[in-house]
Amino acid sequence: MNILIKNIGHLYSPDVNGDYGDITNRENVAISIKDGYIEKIHPERNPSLDTVNRVIDAKGLTVLPGFVDAHTHPVFWKTREAEFVMRNQGKSYEEIAATGGGIRNSARSFHEAGKSEIKSITKNRIKTFLEYGTTTIEAKSGYGLSREGEIKALEIISELNNEQELEMVPTFLGAHEVPDDYRSRREKYIQLIIEEMLPEIAERKLAEYCDVFCEKGVFTIEETRKILKVAKDYGLKARIHADELHAFGAAELAAEIEAATADHLVMVSDKGIKAMAEKKVIPVLLPATTFFLRKDQYAPARKILSYNCEVALATDFNPGSSMTQNMPLIWTIAALKLGMVTGELLWATTIIPAKSLMREKEIGSIDVGKQADLVLMDIPNLDYLAYHMGINHVMATIKKGETVFKKEDR
Ligand code: NIG
Ligand code: FE
């Protein structure tokens, strides 16, 4: 199958041969796609080719690589707008969690619904990623908090990978919270994760990564280290919810165990940043979460970048602390609150998250030989994307050469 995308006004990609933040900007070009992969970038708008099966006319639109969202929690049942309202009236995320709300609230509702119900609502929700230009996500379990519940979540991710076009990389997050019936015997829950969940998940290849919410009042540094070491023995690489609400030493732990990523990092110490830089742990910043939780202090992105860490940005899509699939909105918040500039925003949402998922050879930039994961946007230049906030500029999304979303012409 040969596809030609003609009449591209601007084509922006991270310049993978340059430094972090360097962009290639080609104007008036076309792209040939063969069997889902980029075959050639033509230096003209309308090359004459004989072997084209299908032509897509970009009509002067801007083309970017599909976004890669390296931190999401898409498999949940009920939404939690009541907690959002409570926070807006002055209750904090931690107070709501301590009284049985938060993640435990989601875990209770997760057990009320059957697998097919949760699967169908998840399928609906993840369509929105494609509509906003995201073509690959990392998808965590973490609302089951029991052997059956966690397996159910990971099976849903695995089945949906075959039944719709968004690509999902599965992460096991059984250690998202200590569930209700283990509050007075938490070590038993950790034992359950280590002795029952991890072996089955590894055996059935239901996850590539293992994550832990390492936070005061949730899982300690020692517990996190223990879980992630066992996960590593089973072939699952580590990601950590690290130093979000307190400076906890979780970034240092991520470096010590050579985790793929440390995520959140709002309260990260200088020592933690230095350790991550040395061990090339990828910091995944989630500024929509800070915004949604009404916090004033954001992750120290400029400081982290000054240590030459390759920063990624993600939505953290989840029902509690960040209810959005919209990556361009993350561009806006990161520009305003993290002081990141356009080239950095592009790298942080394409090639670096791809690298954090070990897929940088296949996705994350527009280069010959890579998967044709592309977004066609109605924007005049790349600075415009963060600037015209909250609007969906995506006209079409293409995954492996297939058009998976198309906005009707206005
Ligand atoms: O990344 N911090 C822990 N996990 C999620 C929140 C999940 C929830 O509140 O349901 C996060 O923010
Ligand atoms: Fe999260």
Side-chain angles (χ1 to χ4, degrees), residues 68-85:
V68 180
D69 192 337
H71 184 136
T72 84
H73 307 248
V75 192
F76 54 93
W77 179 233
K78 291 207 177 121
T79 52
R80 302 204 324 247
E81 54 275 42
E83 293 180 5
F84 175 75
V85 173

Side-chain angles (χ1 to χ4, degrees), residues 71-73 140 173 176 211 241 264 286 289 316 318 321:
H71 184 136
T72 84
H73 307 248
K140 302 176 197 292
L173 177 55
H176 200 188
D211 192 346
H241 279 72
H264 284 291
L286 309 166
T289 307
D316 194 16
N318 78 78
S321 66

Side-chain angles (χ1 to χ4, degrees), residues 69-75 137-144 149-151 153-155 157-158 161 168-176 198 201 205-213 228 231 236-241 260-261 263 356-357 359:
D69 192 337
H71 184 136
T72 84
H73 307 248
V75 192
I137 65 170
E138 179 261 11
K140 302 176 197 292
S141 66
Y143 293 117
E150 288 298 304
I151 300 282
L154 292 170
E155 283 176 351
I157 296 169
S158 157
N161 249 333
M168 293 190 281
V169 181
T171 293
F172 168 54
L173 177 55
H176 200 188
L198 275 170
I201 288 161
K205 299 201 181 339
L206 285 170
E208 290 184 33
Y209 292 89
C210 182
D211 192 346
V212 176
F213 188 9
L228 293 176
L236 273 67
K237 289 166 294 295
R239 313 178 87 83
I240 306 182
H241 279 72
T261 67
D263 305 40
S356 87
L357 297 168
R359 280 161 171 74

